[in-house]
Amino acid sequence: MAEEGQVIGVHTVEAWNDHLQKCNESNKLIVVDFTASWCGPCRFITPFLVELAKKIPTVTFLKVDVDELKSVATDWAVEAMPTFMFLKQGKIVDKVVGANKDSLQQTIAKHMATA
């Protein structure tokens, strides 16, 4: 799959729904980064996220710009950027708010252990 080992930008609601559908059908952990171009901490955490995606190809990393996909951000009650949602089989199993590398890494590790 071309999508492994990278952070996938989701730019349309159709693409988002498509990813969710795939998520529902698999037992993979999906990490969604709700971000914004004007958000400093989001820019700070991006290279770290890219590194994680390379290191952990079994996890799918998605990136959603809240200004680009306002309806998705609203549906998922995203209030601060960055917000990381952790999904399994289409359900939110966890979330981390803020550009906190340690929390991000620990939360991924926790949910990979239960995969």
Side-chain angles (χ1 to χ4, degrees):
M1 249 168 53
E3 293 173 347
E4 286 191 350
Q6 61 182 18
V7 178
I8 305 155
V10 182
H11 301 289
T12 65
V13 173
E14 293 74 40
W16 170 252
N17 290 333
D18 199 42
H19 282 294
L20 279 191
Q21 186 60 43
K22 280 187 205 145
C23 170
N24 290 345
E25 290 160 8
S26 84
N27 202 23
K28 270 179 92 163
L29 177 64
I30 296 193
V31 180
V32 186
D33 173 13
F34 285 97
T35 185
S37 56
W38 44 263
C39 154
C42 299
R43 288 200 291 273
F44 161 78
I45 200 83
T46 296
F48 181 69
L49 207 62
V50 171
E51 278 306 298
L52 285 179
K54 280 190 197 123
K55 270 189 237 160
I56 325 169
T58 52
V59 174
T60 300
F61 291 87
L62 303 178
K63 189 173 186 153
V64 173
D65 184 315
V66 296
D67 294 319
E68 195 176 20
L69 295 183
K70 281 197 174 83
S71 64
V72 173
T74 305
D75 287 348
W76 291 71
V78 175
E79 282 155 17
M81 272 60 73
T83 292
F84 299 93
M85 298 274 188
F86 297 79
L87 311 180
K88 252 188 184 164
Q89 294 174 319
K91 292 180 188 67
I92 298 174
V93 290
D94 225 324
K95 91 178 192 183
V96 169
V97 178
N100 186 327
K101 291 180 176 181
D102 291 340
S103 302
L104 201 52
Q105 220 161 358
Q106 284 160 4
T107 309
I108 291 169
K110 179 171 97 182
H111 292 290
M112 281 180 68
T114 60

